[in-house]
Amino acid sequence: MKTAVYPGSFDPITNGHLDIIERASNVFDEVIVLVLVNPNKQGLFSIEERVELIKRVVKDKKNVKVQCSSELLVNFMKTVNANIIIKGLRAVSDFEYEFQMALMNNKLDPNVETVFMMTNAQYSFLSSSSVKQVAIFGGCIQGLVPDEIIWDIMEKIKQKY
Ligand code: PNS
């Protein structure tokens, strides 16, 4: 069985992430969406809340699991016996950052391969950060994130800002 791990901050999951999850789940036997800590980003949702939101959104996808970890990605990969990392690429600007991470992960564990999927063109402008910014300033986030989680984002922003 070929398992791929799709890691990220997912703070929160967007329709761009969901598109990558759906496409990856058509290619691999099993996809684990892995919520990880990015020490360079301050979170809106806790890691556990992000997992709960993603689980809600992917509940009908039989070969998609959602987990979180506070360890190195390559160490987590060993615990689930996986060696493929899935990453989405939106634009040239993503490339340098993703290239660096792919090489670092491969250096940490040469058995690990990163497979890049190009974003669907309709989501190429979309990021969790821009969704949060639109929501904070009262804009409409419909169509940017799954409908099931819009209320949670708006409530969290009301509490925090
Ligand atoms: O969605 P993001 O914030 O671009 O995802 C980055 C993430 C969380 C995948 C990255 O920060 C990560 O892998 N964190 C776990 C720690 C780790 O393994 N770092 C090594 C790669 S530099």
Side-chain angles (χ1 to χ4, degrees):
M1 179 153 105
K2 223 29 183 170
T3 298
V5 174
Y6 179 36
S9 302
F10 303 108
D11 185 39
I13 184 170
T14 67
N15 283 341
H17 294 132
L18 189 56
D19 174 63
I20 298 286
I21 293 169
E22 278 167 359
R23 286 158 56 201
S25 73
N26 289 333
V27 175
F28 296 96
D29 298 316
E30 177 182 62
V31 175
I32 300 177
V33 182
L34 182 66
V35 181
L36 284 174
V37 178
N38 182 339
N40 301 324
K41 289 183 183 168
Q42 225 201 334
L44 175 66
F45 290 96
S46 71
I47 299 288
E48 293 71 26
E49 287 170 331
R50 298 176 211 178
V51 168
E52 199 278 314
L53 294 178
I54 302 169
K55 278 189 176 164
R56 202 188 301 163
V57 167
V58 302
K59 66 177 187 316
D60 294 331
K61 302 186 196 316
K62 296 290 167 249
N63 64 338
V64 178
K65 284 187 191 163
V66 189
Q67 287 185 243
C68 63
S69 168
S70 52
E71 58 184 335
L72 271 178
L73 171 57
V74 292
N75 290 350
F76 172 87
M77 308 272 301
K78 287 198 188 88
T79 67
V80 292
N81 204 19
N83 73 333
I84 297 168
I85 298 171
I86 299 287
K87 282 309 211 71
L89 272 187
R90 286 165 302 192
V92 181
S93 53
D94 279 345
F95 181 77
E96 204 173 322
Y97 169 69
E98 294 295 348
F99 185 56
Q100 205 178 18
M101 271 199 293
L103 292 184
M104 177 59 84
N105 285 323
N106 187 260
K107 169 80 181 154
L108 293 170
D109 182 350
N111 190 39
V112 159
E113 290 292 345
T114 302
V115 173
F116 291 101
M117 294 186 112
M118 304 312 292
T119 188
N120 183 319
Q122 77 180 111
Y123 301 127
S124 59
F125 64 95
L126 190 51
S127 69
S128 299
S129 315
S130 60
V131 166
K132 283 182 277 194
Q133 197 168 131
V134 170
I136 287 167
F137 288 96
C140 174
I141 57 170
Q142 207 162 24
L144 306 180
V145 297
D147 285 344
E148 307 94 292
I149 70 167
I150 290 179
W151 184 87
D152 303 75
I153 298 170
M154 300 317 289
E155 274 304 299
K156 181 63 86 176
I157 280 169
K158 255 195 251 168
Q159 286 164 20
K160 285 215 171 178
Y161 294 89

